Structure formats: structure tokens, C-alpha cells
Amino acid sequence: MKTDILIIGAGPSGTMAASMIRQAGLNAIIIEKEQFPRYVIGESLLPRCMNLLDEGGFLKAVEKQNFQKKYGAVFIRNGNVCEFNFNEQYTQECWTWTWQVPRDEFDKVLADEAEKKGVEIRYKTEVTGIDFLNDKQLVHTKNADGNEQTIEAQFVIDASGYGRVIPRLLDLDLPSSLAPRSSLFTQVEDIHRPGGTAGDRITIVEVEQGVWIWIIPFSNGKTSVGVVAPPEFYNRYEGNYTEKLRKILDDEPNTTGRFKDVPYAFDSVFIESYSIAVKQLYGNGWVLTGNASEFLDPVFSSGVTFAMESGWKAGMLAARQLKGETVDWDKEYVKHILQGVEVFRTYVNAWYDDTLQTIFFTDNVSPKIKSQICSVLAGYVWDKSNPFVRNHHKTVYTLAGMLKEGKV
Ligand code: FAD
């Protein structure tokens, strides 16, 4: 069996890449380990995703799902509230809203749409190995019945998310530059949800420095709730994961009222040390996209946006290469992806070292500066006309320093 491009994983990165390959007139097969719909974490999108959904030809199908619209984000610390509204952005021609989505439903919509575009998806089939040859890749697969097959592809896109197929096969994993953090989360029946914006909007509650809770409401009445903290934080709480999560939410004044005794949709899930980096993003006949490449941290909901951005780029570039064009992967792919990753790395670090809070929880930041930061949080991290993108580290740390010294 032969194909032009084989993609590992039918998450947003894989389906985005597949759609771009079909748009270029080439064949794509996705090999997906699970049967869809399947649960995965990562439910809050960024406005930049809307451009990508549009590019991939997915927007209309997602619109029909009536997912919860997301117009901004709220950060809470010690009773202080900082709100970002995506209609107050610096970046021109940007989307001013996006969605909060149960990923089982969202990913299935994208996968079904990809199939309608002619992509073959083989569910319940796992990639078990790859022979990397000069002019082709031999991809070994095994389905749930134990049947094995080798597929010959000219190019492989690894969009396997936490599966990290090629990084594992080629020993490419690197420890992240970020300190290890773990997360404990579930979805609840949000029976005490407040009305209006307060109940609908994604809220990030800082419990103490380095520890925060997310609240991501869905349109189906459920809400995703989770904690991010250093691994040792969870030792303060007794019991199984669900009991620990209930106690953490009970202890926090901003969550106890809403989540006390609410039914959990499933037992709480614990993910340890999720941040990871990688030695290289591409090689001869393969490329890594989405979480199979680098993952930083969930605090600014950038994971799905990066998964789609990298899938979009990788799909287009791989198709161009197969059509005989020369692709400069360093310049056209690595540089582009790292540009976005480095901007978010600054903001993630600045969140955990308490710099960003100095900026968020003050009234002394001008609307213009706030709009520039808002565009970063909306995922427009390739807009270099924005000083908070172009000189991200300098602008963030200089502004916080000036605020601390009372110079702003
Ligand atoms: P995935 O969506 O994980 O898809 C990969 C697919 O590959 C899976 O379906 C898997 O079954 C398949 N696969 C794996 N191995 C194999 C194999 N060997 N063969 C075949 N198939 C395989 N992101 C956000 O944007 N917003 C958030 O609010 C957010 N919150 C998060 C909270 C936490 C605690 C964490 C850890 C992450 C969060 N993320 C968030 C990040 C988000 O989960 C990921 O960035 C996103 O899911 C990556 O998409 P992907 O397409 O790369 O991979």
C-alpha cells in the first residue's frame, strides 16, 4: 500500500495538515490509534485558530456545533480581576472571538470534515515503527485486531501529540526549559454556573504563585476544571485524584461555591510533567507538528493553536516538496514555529515568575499596551508590528519593572 503523505494522529494538527495536503491535490492517510470521539485535554481555543480553521476549510462545520463562544479571558488573584476582551486588540484584521470546545466533539468534527475532503483515516490503528529511507518511509501499523500492515509514504507528518512517535523512535526528546508542572482535571456538571458573562467566560484563578485553576465552560452545561501546580503541591491533599481535586477546589474561595458537590463527569485525570522539548523539528522525509514537537504550558491556551498552525504549515510545505519545489524547512517551518513558541515562552515564564501579574493586576497600563498584550493572548504571535511580539522579553520585563517602581 502506498500514499503520498502519511500522518500519524487525527488531532487538530493531523487533520489540519491533511486538509492542506488535499487542497494541494495530493493523497493523505491518517493513522489514528483511538476510535473517535475520544477524550483529550485542551479545550480553550485562541482567536488565531479561527483563521486556521478557515484556511483548512473547517470553519462552517465547526460553527454548526454551537460551541460556547469565547470573547476573552479573565484572570483572578486575591480578589483582583483582570479581564482581556478580544475585541480590544492591537492586531488588525484579527478574529475577536473563538470557542471553548469539548475536544472529543471538536476533533471528531475536524476528522469527519477531513474525510469528506478525501482523506482516509484508519482508526484503532497504531503506528508501531518507521523505516526511514532516503526516498521513502516505510510505516509499520497494527490495528486493534492485531493485523499488521506496512504503508509506503513519500513523507510522514508526526502529529501524534502525547504519543510522540518519531521523537521516541529517533530519541529526539529533550527536557523542557520550564520547571516540571503537573495537572489534575475533570469536567463537571456546572449546576451552580452563574448567569451571563461571568458563567461563560474562561477564568484563570491564581491560588498561589505557580499554582492556578482553570474554569472552561461549555455550551452543553458541563465545565472543564483543572489545576496546574508543581508536582509536590498535590502531596498536601489526601485521597485519590478526584478527592484531591475536590479539596483543592473547596479550599479556593473563588471556586468553592461553584464547584462544591457538583457531579464529576469522569474520575479526575492527572498528567505529570507535561512540558517537553525536542532536538529537531524535521528530517529527511518527516516533520513534527503539534504536541509531537514542543509543548510549553497550558496557562495561555496556546496548544491547539500551535497544533493547527504547525499542521497548516507542515501540510503545505510537504505538499510543495512532493510536487518538486525546494523547501527550506529551517527558514519556512522551524523559524516560523519557533517565533511563536519563543513569544509564548516569555509570557509563560513571566506568569510563573510573577512578572505578568504585575502588569495584569494594575489599572496603570494604557489601553494601547493592554491591546498589544491582548493580541499576544489571542495567538497573534506572528504580528511583528506589535512590540509585545517583536521585543517580547524586553517589553514585558521593562513594563513590569517600571510598574513596580511606580514609573508608569
Ligand atoms: P492530540 O490532540 O493529542 O492528537 C494526537 C493524536 O495522535 C491522538 O488522537 C492519539 O490517539 C494519536 N496517536 C498517538 N500515538 C499514536 C500512534 N502511535 N499511532 C497512531 N495514532 C497515535 N491547549 C489549548 O489549546 N487550550 C487549552 O485550554 C489547553 N489546556 C491544556 C491543559 C493541560 C493540562 C495540558 C497538558 C494541555 C493543554 N492544552 C491546551 C494543550 C493541548 O492538549 C494540545 O496542545 C493539543 O491537544 C495538541 O494537539 P495535537 O493535534 O498535536 O495532538
Side-chain angles (χ1 to χ4, degrees), residues 8-14 31-34 36 38 40-46 49 103 107 125-128 159-165 183-185 202 212 214 216 227-228 271 274 289-292 295 297-298 300-305 307:
I8 314 172
S13 200
I31 304 297
E32 167 56 54
K33 196 167 70 169
E34 307 282 341
F36 276 24
R38 60 91 180 84
V40 71
I41 190 65
E43 297 131 330
S44 164
L45 307 183
L46 298 183
C49 275
R103 284 285 302 282
D107 289 16
T125 305
E126 193 175 352
V127 170
T128 53
S160 63
Y162 302 100
R164 304 184 67 74
V165 174
S183 184
L184 181 59
F185 49 88
I202 178 174
W212 56 275
W214 77 71
I216 302 176
V227 186
V228 169
I271 300 191
Y274 45 73
T289 65
N291 266 40
F295 180 65
D297 191 90
F300 298 120
S301 304
S302 56
V304 173
T305 305

Side-chain angles (χ1 to χ4, degrees), residues 102 187-190 193 216-224 265-266:
Q187 289 175 7
V188 304
E189 302 293 342
D190 200 359
R193 183 184 291 188
I216 302 176
F218 302 136
S219 56
N220 63 7
K222 293 196 177 110
T223 286
S224 169
F266 48 82

